Amino acid sequence: TGAGQVAVGQATPIPHLETRNGRHALIVDGAPFTMLGGQVNNSTNYPDALKTAWPVLDRIGANTVEVPIAWQQVEPREGQFDLSFLQALLDQARGHDMRVVLLWFGTWKNTGLAYTPDWVKLDNRRFPRMKTRDGSDHGVLSAHGKATLDADRRAFVKVMEYLRDHDRQNTVILVQPENETGSYRNPRDYSATGNALFAQTIPAALARVTGKRGTWAQAFGAQADRAFNSWNVAAYVDAIAAAGKAVKPLPMYVNASLSGPSNVPDPDGVASGGPQQDVLDIWKAAAPHIDFQAPDIYDRDAGNVVQYLDKYARPDNALMVPEIGNARDFHRFIYAALGRGAIGYSPFGLDDTGYFNYPLGARDLDDKTLEPLTLAYRMFGSIMRDWARIAFERPTWGVAKPADGAVVSTRMGGWKVSASWGEWQFGMKDWTWLKSAPAPWANEPIGGVAIAQLSADEFLLVGDHVRVNIDGADGKPGGMVVRVEEGGFENGRWVMSRVWNGDQTDYGLNLLDRPQVLKVTMGHYR
Ligand code: N0T
């Protein structure tokens, strides 16, 4: 299956990110890798609970699992470390030929301190909580707590040492230090320490990238508290990441609790300090050891999802979706993500624990819920190394069915590519004179396609519940579809299984309900 694990103990090159011409690749075992993942629920960081994940992940064809490890379980008593869960995770993952993204739940988990050890939670003098504007305690640890940083970092380094010593084959391919950092309803720490730092001028590195100067208030106005906390949280997380990378230089990323894709967030409403799309540059300046920042998507509005993906997909920021709702209507967004060059995709809550975070995600993990994801994972999984390599080198485009079901088009080189939705394969939407019924999926929130331009006139198509049309866009006469092949890759080379023609091509290219990968050759007749 997908992940291609080597024998236990055999050293492999350490995973890393590569960026070329503004495109990114996650390099695993020396070659580009597309993470087809699933995150487990929050309390699945124990060996027995973890067993509920494998049947679901195996069934959908995932190649990676995202699993938390908590500071509270690693260091239950100060200075005494227990890495037994990490070994269990490595063993179980290897047994299922699965790679791992390790989530460090420490100082911040959905901003809160719930995953810190009791000796941290109960010692507010040594590990201070933030102060609110009226001077009372806020339930989130302060980014200015030096002892907190030291202690968190020491425990995180133990985790990384364990990986260095017991994961030479790099089952763990990515690490997420902390989870959804920031603080709700308290934009920054209003303690004496916080206030003194806030009164200073902004750091030179930040002035350089933003072109702003003066104090935080002068530079950032209404967003000053939030900009300040973003800088301080980012610098704190960076110190942890840097210490971990010094032990084993795995790629590391942070995830954001989002708050509206287009507006500047309300500092009191958002997880202030976390890496939301409008503060990516602050995080980049403060946290050079963080490889990329990533959106946790729980918004079902297709237009909003696209905006988030576009904000995080940057030449200086690899797109990865570390969390997205696991409900049926989210799964089509994998095409929008991978089509934007995403290095990975991972719905949240893909273990069968009986817990569901509806309405953020699904109400159950039945066939109807998982089918669209399984179909996409089967297709991308069958060509995973090839898709990852091609997406690193060639232009790609991806689209999910929009809320209004309208046709979506783009231009790729000299060709116009269009995706339409909800139609029977044989042409028109409804053949009234034949008393046709609408397609059963016409109003379903499913459908998407990802397209890679292999060369000027060749396209690779992966999709479901979509019709694709490709037409000339450069004004040259005689543009046409020359040949459509269904097939796959063997040893990096395209191998066709059949040619599509006749009904299969006369009314557009219809990808529907089974795994089919197409290579389309366009041309001009003279
Ligand atoms: C996520 C998950 C888990 C549109 C929620 C989302 C995970 C964390 N938090 O199940 O707790 O550990 O990263 C917060 C979403 C806030 C509401 C957004 C409404």
Side-chain angles (χ1 to χ4, degrees):
T1 56
Q5 293 268 359
V6 295
V8 173
Q10 194 182 320
T12 57
I14 294 187
H16 63 277
L17 255 96
E18 278 183 23
T19 299
R20 225 183 284 144
N21 304 321
R23 304 191 69 87
H24 309 281
L26 174 61
I27 308 293
V28 174
D29 298 335
F33 181 92
T34 300
M35 184 194 115
L36 305 171
Q39 185 167 151
V40 300
N41 276 286
N42 285 169
S43 311
T44 305
N45 53 322
Y46 292 85
D48 280 339
L50 188 59
K51 291 179 188 149
T52 65
W54 309 114
V56 183
L57 296 169
D58 288 341
R59 177 173 151 214
I60 65 172
N63 61 27
T64 304
V65 61
E66 298 182 346
V67 182
I69 184 166
W71 183 6
Q72 71 179 169
Q73 76 189 128
V74 166
E75 195 180 6
R77 273 174 296 171
E78 188 169 6
Q80 292 184 20
F81 297 94
D82 176 358
L83 281 307
S84 55
F85 172 64
L86 188 49
Q87 188 59 53
L89 170 59
L90 294 173
D91 291 340
Q92 289 188 31
R94 289 169 187 162
H96 289 265
D97 198 18
M98 207 77 68
R99 304 314 270 255
V100 173
V101 175
L102 194 63
L103 317 174
W104 173 242
F105 285 8
T107 300
W108 294 291
K109 157 65 176 85
N110 300 15
T111 78
L113 51 63
Y115 282 82
T116 63
D118 299 359
W119 53 269
V120 173
K121 285 190 185 97
L122 298 175
D123 191 348
N124 199 45
R125 287 240 270 277
R126 208 174 139 205
F127 309 112
R129 286 160 176 74
M130 302 170 89
K131 292 288 187 192
T132 64
R133 292 178 178 97
D134 67 13
S136 57
D137 287 329
H138 189 69
V140 170
L141 291 167
S142 172
H144 314 308
K146 292 217 165 53
T148 324
L149 169 56
D150 286 344
D152 182 320
R153 176 170 46 199
R154 187 169 55 238
F156 182 69
V157 163
K158 291 286 176 197
V159 170
M160 296 305 296
E161 285 173 354
Y162 197 87
L163 291 180
R164 179 195 61 199
D165 298 340
H166 299 89
D167 189 27
R168 289 168 13 107
Q169 70 197 86
N170 302 303
T171 294
V172 174
I173 56 173
L174 271 176
V175 177
Q176 179 196 290
E178 312 299 341
N179 187 80
E180 292 191 351
T181 55
S183 53
Y184 295 106
R185 295 171 303 281
N186 198 47
R188 69 168 172 90
D189 181 4
Y190 299 91
S191 66
T193 308
N195 290 342
L197 290 168
F198 183 73
Q200 295 179 0
T201 56
I202 64 171
L206 186 57
R208 239 185 342 268
V209 296
T210 60
K212 297 179 190 291
R213 55 207 64 244
T215 63
W216 289 93
Q218 289 163 346
F220 291 97
Q223 290 287 328
D225 288 342
R226 182 165 163 255
F228 171 79
N229 206 42
S230 301
W231 176 272
N232 283 284
V233 171
Y236 183 119
V237 175
D238 191 64
I240 291 170
K245 284 187 164 188
V247 173
K248 179 169 184 179
L250 285 171
M252 300 200 187
Y253 73 95
V254 292
N255 62 332
S257 174
L258 300 170
S259 165
S262 50
N263 54 328
V264 176
D266 164 19
D268 274 87
V270 74
S272 171
Q276 291 88 22
Q277 72 279 350
D278 65 316
V279 292
L280 294 193
D281 289 331
I282 298 180
W283 265 84
K284 290 213 177 281
H289 296 89
I290 295 299
D291 294 85
F292 58 91
Q293 303 165 53
D296 290 351
I297 300 175
Y298 291 96
D299 186 336
R300 295 181 194 224
D301 182 285
N304 287 348
V305 173
V306 165
Q307 285 192 59
Y308 285 126
L309 296 175
D310 284 339
K311 297 248 162 83
Y312 283 85
R314 308 194 330 188
D316 65 348
N317 196 73
L319 178 62
M320 195 274 253
V321 180
E323 290 181 34
I324 186 162
N326 59 352
R328 177 175 164 84
D329 46 338
F330 283 103
H331 299 319
R332 68 194 198 277
F333 299 126
I334 188 176
Y335 297 106
L338 295 193
R340 281 169 173 73
I343 60 170
Y345 186 86
S346 182
F348 178 86
L350 287 180
D351 50 348
D352 190 12
T353 61
Y355 184 89
F356 293 96
N357 68 355
Y358 177 84
L360 298 189
R363 280 184 254 216
D364 54 54
L365 289 180
D366 65 5
D367 286 347
K368 197 161 164 120
T369 301
L370 293 178
E371 256 164 18
L373 183 66
T374 306
L375 184 50
Y377 275 15
R378 293 266 169 246
M379 282 186 281
F380 283 112
S382 74
I383 58 165
M384 185 277 276
R385 288 293 188 175
D386 307 283
W387 175 267
R389 180 188 68 247
I390 292 163
F392 186 32
E393 290 167 357
R394 303 293 311 164
T396 56
W397 181 66
V399 61
K401 184 185 184 184
D404 61 3
V407 178
V408 186
S409 301
T410 194
R411 203 183 149 133
M412 298 184 87
W415 304 99
K416 180 186 172 194
V417 182
S418 303
S420 54
W421 322 94
E423 298 158 330
W424 288 110
Q425 291 148 294
F426 196 83
M428 305 174 198
K429 233 183 209 118
D430 79 292
W431 291 58
T432 326
W433 59 278
L434 285 175
K435 307 220 185 326
S436 72
W441 59 93
N443 297 312
E444 290 278 317
I446 53 174
V449 64
I451 301 178
Q453 189 170 17
L454 301 172
S455 67
D457 297 332
E458 285 176 309
F459 296 93
L460 185 73
L461 270 60
V462 179
D464 73 85
H465 296 91
V466 64
R467 171 181 297 145
V468 178
N469 283 294
I470 309 179
D471 304 295
D474 53 8
K476 268 199 251 167
M480 64 178 293
V481 175
V482 179
R483 189 176 170 88
V484 180
E485 295 179 353
E486 181 182 339
F489 289 88
E490 271 169 36
N491 302 318
R493 284 189 48 244
W494 174 258
V495 177
M496 79 151 205
S497 56
R498 64 166 170 163
V499 170
W500 277 23
N501 209 340
D503 288 349
Q504 279 66 60
T505 56
D506 290 346
Y507 311 99
L509 305 173
N510 291 277
L511 292 160
L512 199 62
D513 62 356
R514 59 207 61 209
Q516 290 172 322
V517 178
L518 301 181
K519 184 162 93 78
V520 180
T521 305
M522 305 297 296
H524 295 89
Y525 68 84
R526 291 175 288 163

